[in-house]
Amino acid sequence: MPASSHVAGTVRQHSASRAVAGPALVEWALALAALALLWPSFTRLAERPEGRDGRYAAAPVTLAALPEPTLPAACRAFARQAQAMLRTRLCAGGRDVVEGAEGEAAQAAVVRELDAATAQTGAVLVQPLQQAQARLDRLRAATPEPDVDSDVRERANAVAAVEADLLPYIERFQLHGTVLTGPLAGPPVLVCAQQGLHAALRGGGPAPTQRADAALLYAAALDGQGGTGALAAQAGWADPAPGACAGGSLDALARSATLLGAARQAQTDERKNEAMRALLGQAG
């Protein structure tokens, strides 16, 4: 090959390399410029992990962990005796059930599980009230500095702030008139629904279907399945304890399902908000 041809080929290769590298360098330069331009925005995000309008801020009142769902165990123990409609809607057609003596033992165990889950749920929902009440008691019991009006105002403002944070929580979870301690601690509607469950379970004679229906519907309500009240009405489920509490246990069952669905959703939302706060806090 003539020397002139070799030189020409080399020149063409270098020209092609520069032609490829040129746009890549420009892209890198533009990316770096965009990053430099946006960096202050990332810093501002890190400074406000709750979001610009506080949408990811922690709720004033948060809940401890609620019990694991109870409906799967209730279905295994009671689905075979329940109405077909409830068995289909709540228990995937009644698969994985137990019968006979084993079934009776399973039913007794599930009733104990439902009672334990009810007690845990009541304790979780009451805990913020107990904590707020303890704080209010401390604020009200503290002796203000003599002749210092500002100290009195600060305590009054602190009391008002605690009460203001608590009121939406009480409204959302139907906690007016809640007993804070003892076996009846928890939302009154949940206590009433539990009374309805036990009234149905005490029913003697040829009524295993009523008992099974009551167990499945109560477990669904305890798990926060919002359509439980409508499902009970569709199944023609009669209130087993009419007049036992205000509104009846059937109404309490529906309201319990609604409030416990809201409680589980509140926990999900708080976990998401916590993750977003952590993500935004690392943005800078």
Side-chain angles (χ1 to χ4, degrees):
M1 178 184 294
S4 59
S5 299
H6 177 73
V7 171
T10 302
V11 170
R12 284 195 297 272
Q13 289 176 359
H14 284 298
S15 299
S17 298
R18 286 195 299 271
V20 172
L25 290 174
V26 171
E27 290 177 3
W28 272 102
L30 290 174
L32 290 173
L35 184 59
L37 182 65
L38 293 174
W39 190 259
S41 298
F42 289 126
T43 303
R44 287 193 293 272
L45 285 175
E47 292 172 349
R48 291 188 296 186
E50 295 85 5
R52 183 172 56 183
D53 55 359
R55 71 183 67 184
Y56 306 123
V61 180
T62 57
L63 296 173
L66 288 164
E68 292 296 316
T70 58
L71 188 56
C75 284
R76 286 192 295 273
F78 287 99
R80 184 73 70 185
Q81 295 175 335
Q83 289 188 53
M85 187 267 286
L86 292 180
R87 184 166 60 244
T88 300
R89 294 282 295 275
L90 297 176
C91 303
R95 297 191 296 270
D96 188 27
V97 298
V98 292
E99 298 182 272
E102 182 184 359
E104 293 177 3
Q107 290 180 358
V110 165
V111 173
R112 291 192 297 270
E113 181 181 341
L114 291 175
D115 285 341
T118 301
Q120 182 182 345
T121 299
V124 167
L125 292 170
V126 163
Q127 185 181 48
L129 298 182
Q130 295 170 328
Q131 293 171 339
Q133 188 60 57
R135 186 178 177 192
L136 290 172
D137 290 343
R138 288 193 300 270
L139 288 169
R140 289 165 176 157
T143 303
E145 293 292 333
D147 302 325
V148 180
D149 291 341
S150 61
D151 188 54
V152 175
R153 286 195 299 272
E154 287 176 4
R155 292 175 191 278
N157 290 337
V159 169
V162 172
E163 293 174 342
D165 285 343
L166 209 57
L167 185 57
Y169 176 78
I170 292 172
E171 295 287 348
R172 182 178 186 184
F173 297 117
Q174 306 176 41
L175 296 170
H176 290 288
T178 295
V179 177
L180 298 185
T181 57
L184 298 180
V189 293
L190 182 58
V191 173
C192 180
Q194 186 185 28
Q195 291 174 348
L197 168 68
H198 283 281
L201 294 175
R202 286 194 300 269
T209 297
Q210 183 185 20
R211 295 193 293 273
D213 290 352
L216 293 185
L217 288 167
Y218 185 79
L222 198 57
D223 291 356
Q225 296 199 16
T228 302
L231 187 60
Q234 186 179 350
W237 191 66
D239 188 342
C245 44
S249 61
L250 186 56
D251 175 69
L253 184 78
R255 293 169 63 192
S256 295
T258 299
L259 80 87
L260 292 174
R264 292 184 182 276
Q265 185 60 50
Q267 290 190 322
T268 300
D269 292 343
E270 179 55 30
R271 286 194 293 269
K272 291 179 180 178
N273 289 342
E274 185 178 0
M276 282 300 302
R277 291 195 298 272
L279 179 64
L280 293 176
Q282 297 171 1

